[in-house]
Amino acid sequence: MASSSSPSHLHLFILFFAIAASSLLSTATSSRASPADTAVGGIAAKVYNKVCDATRFAGLGLNMTEFRYCDASLPYADRVRDLIGRMTVEEKVGALGDWTDGAARIGLPAYRWWSEALHGLSSTGPTTKFDDLATPHLHSGVSAVYNATVFANVINSVASFNETLWKSIGQAVSTEARAMYNMGKGGLTYWSPNINVVRDPRWGRALETPGEDPYVVGRYAVNFVRGMQDIPGHEAVAAGGDPNTRPLKTSACCKHYAAYDLDDWHNHTRFEFDARVDERDMVETFQRPFEMCVRDGDVSSVMCSYNRVNGIPACADARLLSQTIRRDWGLHGYIVSDCDAVRVMTDNATWLGYTGAEASAAALKAGLDLDCGESWKNDTDGHPLMDFLTTYGMEAVNKGKMRESDIDNALTNQYMTLMRLGYFDDIAQYSSLGRQNICTDEHKSLALDGARQGIVLLKNDNKLLPLDANKVGFVNVRGPHVQAPEKIMDGDYTGPPCRYVTPRQGVSKYVRFSHRANTTIYFGGLNLNIEREGNDREDILLPKNQTEEIIRVAKASPNPIILVILSGGGIDVSFAQNNPKIGAILWAGYPGGEGGNAIADVIFGKHNPSGRLPLTWFKNKYIYQLPMTSMDLRPVAKHGYPGRTYKFYNGPDVLYPFGYGLSYTKFLYEMGTNGTALTVPVSGGHCKKLSYKSGVSSAAPACPAINVNGHACTETVSFNVSVTNGGDTGGSHPVIVFSKPPAEVDDAPIKQVVAFRSVFVPAWSTVSVSFELNVCKAFGIVEKTAYTVVPSGVSTVLVENVDSSVSFPVKISFSV
């Protein structure tokens, strides 16, 4: 999604009137709920929590009882049908953009769809608005909100491998979102999370994502979405119930679909890039997190991306949208374009030479329900931007390129989502949320804990860390990120934090500072000038001046120094790993508002580091072996391209592998099984061929593999892992389970994550962790045919960390 800069104070004043639409302020075109007043320049405006408020209708000169769409006793589908049936075609077209017009004559207010909540409420977009401390006169008499909880960036949170944490963050964010909505300062629809797999270490948006493993990315999506959306007691519908009526706390959106992971590299931009992806990689890597998000997370929105996929714009591909997302996976919600992605079809990609009307019609017929434009901004000439579908929709209808019924279908998906959110009726249990529910002690504590859990210890020679504050006394802090500003610590897609703690401030709570100290901590890394949306990296090194300074500081220091790295993507710090004068290395990502405290708590031993890398950290020479534009995950022999991610690369150019992370103690594994065998009955012709490596002499079995589609997939493999803490420091530890396919299978992943769980193990103690693996999900691989199959033969279950590795074989055969 296109990122925007923060508006000026003047823009905030002007845009306040726009917020009235999403807030349902009591104006001629509005409607929203509850006894709260909003003041602008001393003028109070009533704020409503719901569209269907009789007082609001009366203020518009309307009788609410005459509008069936406000009859709460009717099914949502009937109410939405009534609402859309009352709208003119012009009014319908006006509702196809993220900045909708509404229809005052029937009591329908305008609504602003675009809000962001990647790792806390964000000021990106036109809807969520924080008050400005510099202009208190603009919000006198109002419950002013100046900030919200800013959690660590997604790449940090995922390093915890803690699903409970991910869901808790979603729950906290949605509570603050609902509170902002009640005060007329935000919406109900949030276009988060970003669940694109990091295919290439140069991608500038790695900080926003859950890493390089599709399964881990998918599990993050499921948990964050459930945290954002689920209302206690309504996590699922009753048997035979309609999932399109399940109430939602807020609406989440999994983005950017599909095969999007290039922004701007060597004159290849996301607006023009055509991702040439084979079907196996599509199923196995690029689509899997989205499928999990829809099927398991029941997300209420999916965003299509700017790029083309095999020649067709993602937002105009009926196979990707209507067929896959809505029909095959069963989306209960709406599909939205990335902002200006429909415009990109004509202005950048110039797809098929389409006009604006033709591109609009193609997108809508492919399954798009909502066009995000940037109509609240101006173009480079100062002219207001317009949502493409609202601009060209009527032309498309009048020229016979778009059916009104296609618009009706899109609006049905939109308004069914808003019905579920309580936009029309309110949700009573959330109506009292307000400023007191934002930046609570509980949320700030969660932000601190999450930031600590995501810090990864990469090097710790001679147990340099943790530092004993009483013995150290003084430290010397160096580097460009010692006093890192909010934009560095908080990363992208963020709002103003509840409080902001720099690394220096965090360290100062433990020790004092002196340039003559024997202990030096260097805070370095990257920033959003190097890695961000719209900007991919040229290399994966630290800036040269930092590298040189770190080497100088280390050489001059009487003792080995501590290096703390702030970044989203991996960095080749081989020079530091191999330098004995650099005794410890911590990766802190972009840890959010509480980041300074989190870093200091790890350095001084209040928290035992437990993070494990969700990305492979490659050496810089890896990137010169293949271009970002190559979408293949497996090695491409004819071009000499190596494989990508830990699943398909096992070469020499890895500094720190996926899942790497040290601790202040050692965690050792034991298993109580030497192996297991399964014979799976097969019926209905579900046997499939399997690709074997050349030179495999053994004859293929009668049933080499089974297609998981159509198979009951009820078989499981259960086992326990004993995790022993072999030291005197208790700590959490993520146990990551991999499966390895039979050695004779060709072109299969080297290994793949199939389960994980974070557990706390007290000092000198042992904890047993139980796992139950579904055979189809844990041992399934994607064949060249793009079928997901379970291969016969001996697969392996592997559990490993830096200090310990255990495994056992699983022999699978099929009886026909």
Side-chain angles (χ1 to χ4, degrees):
M1 164 164 302
S3 187
S4 61
S5 59
S6 299
S8 67
H9 298 161
L10 176 61
H11 287 160
L12 283 173
F13 180 81
I14 294 171
L15 286 173
F16 187 92
F17 293 97
I19 304 170
S22 65
S23 304
L24 311 181
L25 295 178
S26 84
T27 64
T29 60
S30 67
S31 104
R32 175 145 178 211
S34 170
D37 289 325
T38 301
V40 181
I43 302 174
K46 179 87 172 203
V47 181
Y48 294 87
N49 285 342
K50 59 184 178 183
V51 170
C52 297
D53 185 289
T55 304
R56 192 190 71 82
F57 269 76
L60 297 171
L62 300 172
N63 182 351
M64 192 182 78
T65 62
E66 297 177 357
F67 296 87
R68 282 172 53 84
Y69 77 81
C70 279
D71 185 349
S73 69
L74 297 175
Y76 286 166
D78 291 352
R79 297 173 65 184
V80 168
R81 192 178 303 112
D82 176 74
L83 172 60
I84 296 173
R86 293 174 182 272
M87 299 171 70
T88 66
V89 66
E90 290 83 4
E91 289 167 340
K92 293 176 182 179
V93 168
L96 292 175
D98 70 282
W99 193 300
T100 69
D101 294 335
R105 66 179 187 84
I106 60 172
L108 180 67
Y111 180 72
R112 307 294 180 252
W113 286 87
W114 182 3
S115 299
E116 300 281 354
L118 183 67
H119 56 111
L121 297 183
S122 171
S123 53
T124 300
T127 307
T128 303
K129 292 302 170 188
F130 295 98
D131 296 299
D132 192 337
L133 281 168
T135 57
H137 60 284
L138 292 181
H139 37 79
S140 58
V142 182
S143 294
V145 179
Y146 302 105
N147 40 39
T149 308
V150 175
F151 294 90
N153 276 253
V154 175
I155 197 70
N156 294 71
S157 296
V158 173
S160 71
F161 285 86
N162 186 344
E163 295 187 81
T164 301
L165 172 67
W166 304 341
K167 186 174 182 179
S168 295
I169 291 173
Q171 290 169 331
V173 173
S174 59
T175 292
E176 297 195 356
R178 200 83 202 196
M180 289 287 279
Y181 172 77
N182 287 344
M183 291 183 285
K185 299 176 184 295
L188 293 171
T189 46
Y190 288 83
W191 294 344
S192 305
N194 178 343
I195 61 166
N196 295 111
V197 172
V198 181
R199 172 184 55 91
D200 190 287
R202 290 163 287 195
W203 190 32
R205 300 188 75 171
L207 70 158
E208 301 176 32
T209 75
E212 74 182 26
D213 180 86
Y215 175 77
V216 175
V217 173
R219 289 306 304 167
Y220 176 84
V222 169
N223 282 278
F224 182 80
V225 166
R226 287 290 180 179
M228 287 288 289
Q229 295 193 161
D230 283 0
I231 296 174
H234 298 278
E235 293 85 355
V237 295
D242 182 1
N244 287 298
T245 64
R246 185 173 76 91
L248 303 172
K249 185 180 180 184
T250 60
S251 171
C253 173
C254 284
K255 64 184 184 183
H256 313 78
Y257 179 80
Y260 163 60
D261 53 11
L262 178 149
D263 272 62
D264 190 349
W265 181 80
H266 290 195
N267 297 318
H268 297 280
T269 73
R270 58 183 174 169
F271 306 121
E272 300 162 345
F273 182 58
D274 184 6
R276 293 288 172 171
V277 185
D278 71 37
E279 292 298 325
R280 175 164 56 177
D281 283 341
M282 199 70 177
V283 170
E284 182 179 54
T285 299
F286 298 112
Q287 286 184 321
R288 189 181 186 192
F290 289 92
E291 181 177 7
M292 294 171 69
C293 185
V294 174
R295 290 186 185 271
D296 302 332
D298 195 23
V299 75
S300 53
S301 179
V302 173
M303 176 182 285
C304 54
S305 53
Y306 292 112
N307 57 288
R308 285 171 286 168
V309 179
N310 297 325
I312 304 174
C315 290
D317 191 330
R319 183 181 174 216
L320 288 179
L321 305 186
S322 293
Q323 177 180 322
T324 302
I325 297 177
R326 194 167 294 285
R327 190 187 72 190
D328 295 347
W329 298 344
L331 174 69
H332 309 124
Y334 68 98
I335 300 174
V336 61
S337 72
D338 203 341
C339 292
D340 286 329
V342 182
R343 181 188 299 273
V344 161
M345 295 181 201
T346 62
D347 292 3
N348 299 84
T350 58
W351 182 57
L352 300 180
Y354 271 10
T355 64
E358 290 169 329
S360 298
L364 199 71
K365 288 189 285 188
L368 189 71
D369 300 310
L370 184 69
D371 172 29
C372 174
E374 297 194 76
S375 53
W376 59 287
K377 296 169 62 178
N378 293 334
D379 64 18
T380 54
D381 297 322
H383 302 299
L385 293 170
M386 298 297 292
D387 296 321
F388 220 57
L389 285 181
T390 58
T391 301
Y392 292 101
M394 283 308 303
E395 179 184 345
V397 171
N398 292 332
K399 289 185 175 180
K401 299 182 181 298
M402 182 189 295
R403 297 181 182 183
E404 187 175 356
S405 61
D406 293 331
I407 303 175
D408 292 348
N409 290 336
L411 297 188
T412 296
N413 294 326
Q414 290 184 28
Y415 290 130
M416 285 293 286
T417 303
L418 291 178
M419 282 282 180
R420 297 170 64 194
L421 286 163
Y423 177 70
F424 289 90
D425 305 320
D426 197 16
I427 296 178
Q429 68 195 86
Y430 299 125
S431 61
S432 64
L433 295 178
R435 184 174 59 178
Q436 73 277 8
N437 302 105
I438 299 172
C439 286
T440 63
D441 290 342
E442 180 184 2
H443 291 177
K444 288 183 285 190
S445 177
L446 180 63
L448 173 59
D449 187 45
R452 290 189 299 205
Q453 289 190 44
I455 293 175
V456 181
L457 180 62
L458 300 174
K459 179 181 180 181
N460 196 24
D461 286 355
N462 301 314
K463 296 184 178 180
L464 175 59
L465 293 178
L467 297 180
D468 185 329
N470 294 323
K471 292 182 179 179
V472 171
F474 296 87
V475 298
N476 181 15
V477 290
R478 301 286 298 272
H481 292 341
V482 168
Q483 298 276 33
E486 287 182 20
K487 201 60 178 175
I488 291 177
M489 297 288 280
D490 292 352
D492 212 351
Y493 282 91
T494 184
C498 306
R499 62 184 177 195
Y500 173 64
V501 184
T502 68
R504 182 185 175 90
Q505 290 169 330
V507 171
S508 71
K509 296 180 180 179
Y510 287 92
V511 292
R512 289 179 288 175
F513 301 106
S514 171
H515 291 297
R516 299 178 181 177
N518 288 327
T519 301
T520 297
I521 307 172
Y522 188 98
F523 293 93
L526 308 180
N527 58 42
L528 298 189
N529 293 321
I530 297 173
E531 55 174 353
R532 68 179 188 279
E533 179 177 6
N535 190 75
D536 296 321
R537 295 160 64 185
E538 291 297 315
D539 58 44
I540 51 175
L541 299 169
L542 277 176
K544 184 179 179 182
N545 61 334
Q546 279 192 48
T547 300
E548 293 172 346
E549 183 181 30
I550 293 167
I551 293 172
R552 286 198 304 269
V553 169
K555 184 177 181 181
S557 175
N559 295 314
I561 71 169
I562 299 159
L563 173 61
V564 179
I565 298 171
L566 302 181
S567 74
I571 304 174
D572 182 358
V573 288
S574 299
F575 77 94
Q577 179 65 27
N578 300 326
N579 189 335
K581 290 299 298 289
I582 301 173
I585 305 174
L586 283 172
W587 175 73
Y590 295 114
E594 297 291 330
N597 285 334
I599 293 169
D601 287 350
V602 170
I603 289 175
F604 292 96
K606 183 175 181 179
H607 179 83
N608 187 354
S610 57
R612 300 182 67 173
L613 291 177
L615 292 169
T616 302
W617 280 35
F618 289 97
K619 297 176 182 177
N620 193 55
K621 58 185 177 182
Y622 170 83
I623 67 171
Y624 297 110
Q625 300 174 48
L626 75 173
M628 275 194 76
T629 50
S630 171
M631 299 298 293
D632 295 279
L633 273 295
R634 290 165 174 79
V636 183
K638 65 179 179 181
H639 297 308
Y641 297 164
R644 295 184 179 275
T645 78
Y646 81 93
K647 292 177 66 174
F648 301 105
Y649 180 81
N650 64 351
D653 296 326
V654 171
L655 178 61
Y656 304 118
F658 174 90
Y660 181 89
L662 304 174
S663 170
Y664 294 154
T665 186
K666 291 183 182 296
F667 294 101
L668 306 176
Y669 299 146
E670 288 184 356
M671 282 185 179
T673 178
N674 294 320
T676 187
L678 293 171
T679 299
V680 179
V682 180
S683 61
H686 294 295
C687 288
K688 293 294 179 184
K689 291 183 178 179
L690 196 63
S691 300
Y692 290 103
K693 293 176 180 177
S694 60
V696 174
S697 57
S698 59
C703 186
I706 60 165
N707 178 10
V708 302
N709 292 328
H711 183 69
C713 289
T714 58
E715 297 82 9
T716 60
V717 172
S718 299
F719 60 97
N720 295 325
V721 180
S722 294
V723 184
T724 298
N725 184 337
D728 58 6
T729 303
S732 294
H733 179 67
V735 181
I736 304 176
V737 180
F738 299 88
S739 72
K740 298 176 67 174
E744 64 271 18
V745 178
D746 190 33
D747 254 0
I750 299 166
K751 61 182 179 181
Q752 56 189 0
V753 177
V754 295
F756 52 89
R757 188 170 303 150
S758 180
V759 295
F760 183 85
V761 187
W764 307 112
S765 298
T766 298
V767 172
S768 181
V769 187
S770 299
F771 292 96
E772 183 178 60
L773 304 181
N774 177 277
V775 169
C776 289
K777 293 180 179 179
F779 301 104
I781 60 174
V782 181
E783 250 290 322
K784 294 177 180 178
T785 58
Y787 274 122
T788 300
V789 302
V790 176
S792 63
V794 180
S795 294
T796 303
V797 171
L798 170 68
V799 183
E800 62 180 353
N801 63 27
V802 174
D803 298 309
S804 185
S805 176
V806 292
S807 63
F808 67 89
V810 178
K811 184 176 182 180
I812 300 174
S813 58
F814 306 108
S815 61
V816 181

